[in-house]
Amino acid sequence: MNTILIGSQWGDEGKGKIIDVLTDRADIVVRYQGGSNAGHTVIAEGKKRVLRLVPSGILHPSKSCVIGNGVVMNPLDLLGEIDELQSTGIETLGRMWISTRTQMVMLYHRALDKAEEAARPVGRKIGTTGRGIGPAYAAKVGRSGLRCGDMLQDDFLDKVREQVLETNDRLRELHAK
């Protein structure tokens, strides 16, 4: 049997808590969408942990977790979150997998996110977190972004350089660094 939890609101609706309760009945917990712009706080065994990318099932030692291809993930954010989990005794090695099709949020997406928000006229700002989520999803939809599996290809650095050059052109258009 599969159980799917879908959030239909734009804010904190308690999905993390519900997933934590449902995890007892699951073998695998999958994060299938979203980015590291928000997160949820989980208190387990008296310890407070903030999870932004890693599925909360990781707090249950016998569970496996997957970051799916609908997620936009900054690899640096993920590494920081894994380090934080491991420093509190939560092991991720052999228990967590990332789809090769997971879209990456690169540092240039953050720069673009902030520049685009700054360029919007007063009253038309969207209130972005500036973490690059919107531009990464735009790159995903436009089929121009980088996916985790791209890191395994010989031409990965060439692809990154191409993206950086294109983003720098757009940042100049926006009069940003």
Side-chain angles (χ1 to χ4, degrees), residues 128-149:
T128 177
T129 60
R131 297 185 62 86
I133 306 304
Y137 270 119
K140 176 184 174 117
V141 171
R143 299 180 186 175
S144 63
L146 299 170
R147 299 184 293 186
C148 288

Side-chain angles (χ1 to χ4, degrees), residues 31-35 53 67-73 102-103 137 140:
R31 172 122 190 243
Y32 66 91
Q33 60 84 29
L53 289 166
I67 295 177
N69 66 325
V71 174
V72 291
M73 178 203 64
T102 298
Q103 192 76 24
Y137 270 119
K140 176 184 174 117

Side-chain angles (χ1 to χ4, degrees), residues 73-77 104-115 130-133 135-136 146 160 163-164 167-168 171 177:
M73 178 203 64
N74 181 316
L76 299 174
D77 288 349
M104 289 193 291
V105 178
M106 306 298 280
L107 294 178
Y108 52 79
H109 288 125
R110 287 185 174 177
L112 190 56
D113 198 359
K114 291 172 186 172
R131 297 185 62 86
I133 306 304
L146 299 170
V160 172
Q163 293 288 316
V164 168
T167 303
N168 282 341
L171 290 171
K177 288 185 175 183

